[in-house]
Amino acid sequence: MPHPDHHPAAIEVHHPQPLTHPPAAPLAPVQPGPPAVQSVVLPDGQVITGYTLTPAPAPAQPRPAVSWTAVNIALGGIGFGAVCGGLALLTTFIAALTAFITQLIILAAVLFGGCIAVQLFGATGHRDGGTTVNIRKAVIKRNHFHS
């Protein structure tokens, strides 16, 4: 039964009319034609009618100024350069060590040879246990020694 305060002539029916908005710069491409009208029934029985809204596109994630791949390549190049520098120093050190050892061997040979030369050719006061041979005028005839 209808409520005694409401008369059937008091009901008005409204048809939705599209709203005209001033033209704005579109953020996304707009579909041609009138927008679709959608109605929603609330739990208390009210009907809400409106236009569907196209969701705004999600903002793009900001990209870092430098990519991680570029950072890794740069760090690898720095590490390679450091290793090459270390290897160059290592080869220089080995060459210097080789020259130093060579000079020590030459110094030892000179000192050892000098000591031997002094012992052999040195003028000492006397020689004990040595044999003295006096060579006089000798004549060698037909492989035979004559004195």
Side-chain angles (χ1 to χ4, degrees):
M1 280 193 135
H3 195 275
D5 294 336
H6 293 297
H7 298 288
I11 295 176
E12 294 181 22
V13 177
H14 294 283
H15 295 286
Q17 295 290 327
L19 298 175
T20 57
H21 296 287
L27 297 177
V30 179
Q31 298 291 333
V37 177
Q38 190 174 24
S39 297
V40 176
V41 179
L42 297 177
D44 63 354
Q46 287 183 329
V47 177
I48 298 177
T49 305
Y51 297 100
T52 58
L53 299 176
T54 56
Q61 295 292 333
R63 297 191 69 183
V66 179
S67 70
W68 286 109
T69 304
V71 171
N72 289 337
I73 291 173
L75 289 176
I78 291 171
F80 183 74
V83 168
C84 289
L87 289 176
L89 289 176
L90 182 65
T91 55
T92 304
F93 174 75
I94 290 173
L97 185 64
T98 304
F100 178 69
I101 291 173
T102 304
Q103 289 178 354
L104 285 180
I105 291 171
I106 291 172
L107 179 65
V110 168
L111 291 177
F112 183 71
C115 290
I116 291 176
V118 166
Q119 287 180 0
L120 288 180
F121 302 116
T124 56
H126 63 298
R127 292 188 180 179
D128 293 330
T131 303
T132 303
V133 177
N134 292 325
I135 298 177
R136 296 184 186 149
K137 214 182 219 185
V139 177
I140 299 174
K141 290 185 179 176
R142 292 188 193 152
N143 296 329
H144 192 34
F145 182 75
H146 297 280
S147 60

